Amino acid sequence: MGTYCQAPLPKWTPLPTGWKLKQVHLVHRHGDRTPVQAFSWLPYYTWNCTLSDLQTTLSPYIHVANTFNITHPRDAPMKGNCLPGQLTPKGFRQGVNLGKSVRQHYVHDMKFLPSGYPGMNDAKVFTASSHRCLQTAEGVLDGLWPGVTNISIEQFSTQEDFSAPLDVVCKGPLIQKWLKEADASPKMKHFLNTTLNPYRTAVEKHWKQGPLGFFTFYNVWDTFACAKCHNQPMPPFITNEWLTNVELILKKYFTIEENYVKVHKYNAAPFLAEMLPFFTKLSTGAPNTPKWVQWGVHDSTLEAITDAFGTLPKKPWVGYASNYIVEVAEDGKGALMARRIYNGLIEAGGWQTLESFITLLDAAVPKDWHSVCFGN
């Protein structure tokens, strides 16, 4: 399972001598959660949560700017009182620990952020609408600015939100057409009947189910992955190697058919399009640009973002509390520079001019993304 259960905390690298930070973006996946779908024929695990876990963890002093549509799938009852896809106390602590790491670096070491919440002009916080993304963002804030009140958290204006991590962000008619064509392609059928089949068949035979479609099988894997992250006992054939192999296969799913590659690219577009103006305003010297911008997302979005630039080496699926940091700094000659760091790994090339980063970011956002993603 590698880093799936817990992504590494950032590895902080000092700025070159004479450089000054101007803006930092933190994009993070939500923390540890319960399985996204319950299956009555998998009677292995009980998930219990307290009533407070079902509520907004820091609701007494966190102000949510927009109305959040918080829903959970109820395809089958789960054992215990947790909801499917619910952030666990462990997941919330992962957010807090990430925030503490950020605080140590940007508040104490770099003296870039103040010790207390600076207000909306200097700190922007956005999350996807699901409860687990919101609660994780609150955990990060609780670690970054402990005990602070009246932080405004906004829902993405263009980000569609789904419960299942592998669901697509974009869902317009053209996206649906590409997905159907991909599912029906000989290449995809061959993949499902060869690479995936031994693992899927083992599950079908053991529990006398089937045939299981790709996304159903993913949710079965997710059930055992969640249980493994909590050191629950596994059936004999569900080994750590089995889970890791299936994880790599699931990631490969989005790379073997050209229509899926296109969908994956468009999935990054709504988020990147919302992020882009922060950098363009900074490049033009616009006033009131925030120092801190935080984004709470699902793994599907973060996976698409980290793949959008093609500058990261082969990596496993996005783990819980994965973190993607974009730093913008002014060098000793007054030029603005940018770099990206994913789970402590600096992306290929390191520092680049902000202008070249904006060009790269703009190229990753198809011009027709809105009509393709949302059909209007």
Side-chain angles (χ1 to χ4, degrees):
M1 292 289 289
T3 59
Y4 183 80
C5 296
Q6 169 67 72
L9 289 172
K11 296 178 182 178
W12 304 110
T13 304
L15 296 179
T17 302
W19 288 34
K20 294 182 179 179
L21 274 176
K22 303 294 288 185
Q23 190 174 84
V24 175
H25 290 248
L26 170 66
V27 188
H28 60 80
R29 187 192 175 188
H30 58 75
D32 178 86
R33 55 157 173 74
T34 61
V36 295
Q37 184 175 350
F39 296 95
S40 59
W41 47 273
L42 289 180
Y44 281 91
Y45 308 110
T46 299
W47 300 90
N48 286 316
C49 304
T50 64
L51 179 62
S52 62
D53 292 326
L54 300 174
Q55 301 167 344
T56 304
T57 312
L58 303 180
S59 57
Y61 57 90
I62 294 290
H63 169 66
V64 178
N66 294 348
T67 300
F68 282 72
N69 177 26
I70 298 170
T71 59
H72 294 273
R74 295 177 179 269
D75 296 338
M78 290 184 70
K79 285 191 173 184
N81 64 357
C82 288
L83 292 170
Q86 182 182 324
L87 190 75
T88 65
K90 175 184 177 181
F92 182 74
R93 289 193 299 270
Q94 289 173 334
V96 173
N97 289 336
L98 176 57
K100 287 180 177 179
S101 179
V102 169
R103 179 178 178 82
Q104 179 61 46
H105 182 66
Y106 290 118
V107 175
H108 298 304
D109 298 340
M110 298 293 294
K111 305 293 191 295
F112 174 64
L113 295 176
S115 59
Y117 175 59
M120 288 185 64
N121 285 341
D122 270 342
K124 297 287 187 182
V125 184
F126 304 91
T127 86
S129 65
S130 72
H131 213 178
R132 58 184 178 268
C133 291
L134 171 59
Q135 286 186 313
T136 302
E138 291 172 339
V140 173
L141 292 169
D142 197 42
L144 173 55
W145 291 304
V148 71
T149 61
N150 298 321
I151 294 180
S152 175
I153 302 178
E154 300 179 60
Q155 183 178 342
F156 298 160
S157 61
T158 58
Q159 171 78 28
E160 291 288 331
D161 192 60
F162 295 83
S163 297
L166 284 180
D167 275 346
V168 295
V169 174
C170 297
K171 59 177 183 178
L174 188 54
I175 294 289
Q176 299 304 314
K177 176 177 178 293
W178 289 340
L179 289 173
K180 288 180 181 179
E181 290 176 354
D183 286 338
S185 71
K187 187 182 295 186
M188 182 55 64
K189 288 181 178 179
H190 177 75
F191 167 73
L192 295 176
N193 292 328
T194 54
T195 306
L196 187 66
N197 203 52
Y199 303 95
R200 183 173 57 176
T201 301
V203 170
E204 292 169 350
K205 287 183 177 179
H206 188 83
W207 283 282
K208 297 180 174 58
Q209 298 291 321
L212 299 177
F214 176 84
F215 288 106
T216 300
F217 179 74
Y218 162 77
N219 286 326
V220 172
W221 173 85
D222 178 69
T223 297
F224 290 118
C226 290
K228 183 69 174 178
C229 292
H230 287 260
N231 298 314
Q232 299 277 11
M234 296 283 113
F237 71 93
I238 306 291
T239 63
N240 194 61
E241 182 182 9
W242 190 96
L243 288 167
T244 300
N245 288 343
V246 174
E247 177 189 355
L248 295 174
I249 291 170
L250 295 173
K251 180 175 174 58
K252 188 178 180 181
Y253 179 77
F254 290 107
T255 65
I256 61 174
E257 211 284 334
E258 61 180 14
N259 282 309
Y260 276 123
V261 173
K262 286 192 292 187
V263 171
H264 197 47
K265 180 176 181 178
Y266 276 90
N267 275 343
F271 177 87
L272 296 178
E274 191 146 343
M275 188 186 235
L276 182 59
F278 285 97
F279 299 112
T280 55
K281 288 179 181 178
L282 197 62
S283 70
T284 60
N288 299 322
T289 53
K291 287 186 172 182
W292 175 255
V293 188
Q294 179 181 330
W295 309 84
V297 301
H298 289 283
D299 55 349
S300 53
T301 302
L302 189 49
E303 185 74 19
I305 295 166
T306 54
D307 287 347
F309 306 118
T311 51
L312 278 170
K314 184 179 180 181
K315 61 183 183 3
W317 191 262
V318 172
Y320 292 133
S322 285
N323 45 89
Y324 189 73
I325 295 167
V326 182
E327 293 181 329
V328 179
E330 185 179 82
D331 69 10
K333 298 179 180 179
L336 291 177
M337 309 293 289
R339 70 175 173 182
R340 290 156 285 144
I341 308 168
Y342 174 66
N343 287 344
L345 179 66
I346 298 176
E347 290 201 31
W351 289 103
Q352 63 184 122
T353 65
L354 179 59
E355 182 180 356
S356 66
F357 172 62
I358 290 173
T359 300
L360 186 68
L361 186 59
D362 187 58
V365 182
K367 301 307 178 187
D368 60 349
W369 72 267
H370 199 279
S371 62
V372 171
C373 285
F374 307 122
N376 52 36

